[in-house]
Amino acid sequence: MSEQLQLLITAEQIQQRIDELAREIARDYEDKELLLVAILKGSLIFAGDLCRRLGHNVLLDVIQLSSYGDRGSSSGVVQIKKDLDLNIEDRHVLLVEDIVDSGLTLMHVRELLSTRHPRSLRTVALLSKPEARLHHAVIEYLGFEIPNVFVVGYGLDYAERYRNLPYIAVLLTPRDLV
Ligand code: IMP
Ligand code: MG
């Protein structure tokens, strides 16, 4: 395999930050029922760890999107590949995203879900690359800001690999290594 990994955020740092995020979220929603919507597949692991720290009033659903066109450009199109099962009308919805890069995915999902009239709609993202932002993306709860590098692990993939790593690493391609 020609890629190399460089550790960026340890498993312990991730788990500790999720503890803090869960406390903040639990405090904000108090005893309200909360519907977590995980954006597949990258946020699966994060959503799994987060939801188990949120007490009892938590429902889970998933949505999967596909983006066409050049993802790094402003002209990308986001479509639904797998829609939610649950009706979100009048519910408190918390979107769970692995990483916000250009912001295109998050902007589209928020626009789409808000047309279904949730009672409230917020986002928790584990990672954000502010330098890569091309679209306005609202993130109410954020784990870590990272530089504009390609990362894998903890749900994030490169060609479907590395999702199962318990830590986040920068993926160095042969070009970075020369
Ligand atoms: P955005 O629409 O440009 O914000 O991209 C968001 C999606 O692109 C994320 O949900 C990830 O699936 C993917 N993505 C963006 N940056 C990375 C990365 O560094 N590693 C792995 N996937 C990424
Ligand atoms: Mg994703």
Side-chain angles (χ1 to χ4, degrees):
M1 224 161 290
S2 52
E3 310 102 45
Q4 279 187 24
L5 302 180
Q6 190 175 71
L7 181 65
L8 185 66
I9 308 173
T10 67
E12 291 72 24
Q13 287 173 312
I14 294 172
Q15 296 303 322
Q16 195 193 332
R17 189 72 189 108
I18 296 176
D19 277 342
E20 293 166 0
L21 288 171
R23 271 200 294 277
E24 198 182 332
I25 292 165
R27 202 186 322 117
D28 290 353
Y29 289 90
E30 289 181 315
D31 50 359
K32 298 185 189 85
E33 190 173 71
L34 180 60
L35 171 58
L36 290 189
V37 170
I39 303 178
L40 296 180
K41 298 179 224 176
S43 72
L44 262 181
I45 313 266
F46 177 39
D49 277 347
L50 182 68
C51 75
R52 284 177 292 176
R53 288 165 163 93
L54 285 177
H56 297 289
N57 276 324
V58 173
L59 307 180
L60 274 178
D61 205 348
V62 294
I63 192 168
Q64 188 164 19
L65 307 147
S66 44
S67 40
Y68 298 100
D70 183 1
R71 203 176 47 76
S73 83
S74 52
S75 58
V77 178
V78 176
Q79 287 188 349
I80 297 182
K81 206 159 159 185
K82 190 242 168 262
D83 204 343
L84 298 173
D85 288 333
L86 302 178
N87 180 356
I88 64 169
E89 188 172 342
D90 237 19
R91 289 192 188 280
H92 294 289
V93 174
L94 182 60
L95 273 169
V96 185
E97 180 59 307
D98 51 358
I99 184 165
V100 182
D101 185 23
S102 73
L104 181 72
T105 307
L106 188 57
M107 185 187 74
H108 274 275
V109 180
R110 283 187 78 126
E111 272 173 14
L112 171 80
L113 295 191
S114 57
T115 65
R116 300 181 185 180
H117 307 293
R119 186 174 296 182
S120 68
L121 179 59
R122 290 185 177 177
T123 299
V124 57
L126 182 68
L127 305 172
S128 171
K129 298 182 196 173
E131 292 159 29
R133 202 73 88 247
L134 295 170
H135 304 271
H136 181 62
V138 183
I139 308 172
E140 281 84 359
Y141 306 97
L142 176 63
F144 303 91
E145 280 192 353
I146 62 166
N148 195 6
V149 289
F150 193 84
V151 290
V152 295
Y154 200 72
L156 292 148
D157 74 306
Y158 171 66
E160 296 299 326
R161 285 160 41 221
Y162 304 117
R163 291 193 197 274
N164 62 320
L165 300 178
Y167 51 86
I168 303 278
V170 179
L171 187 80
L172 302 172
T173 60
R175 206 152 38 103
D176 300 316
L177 297 170
V178 290

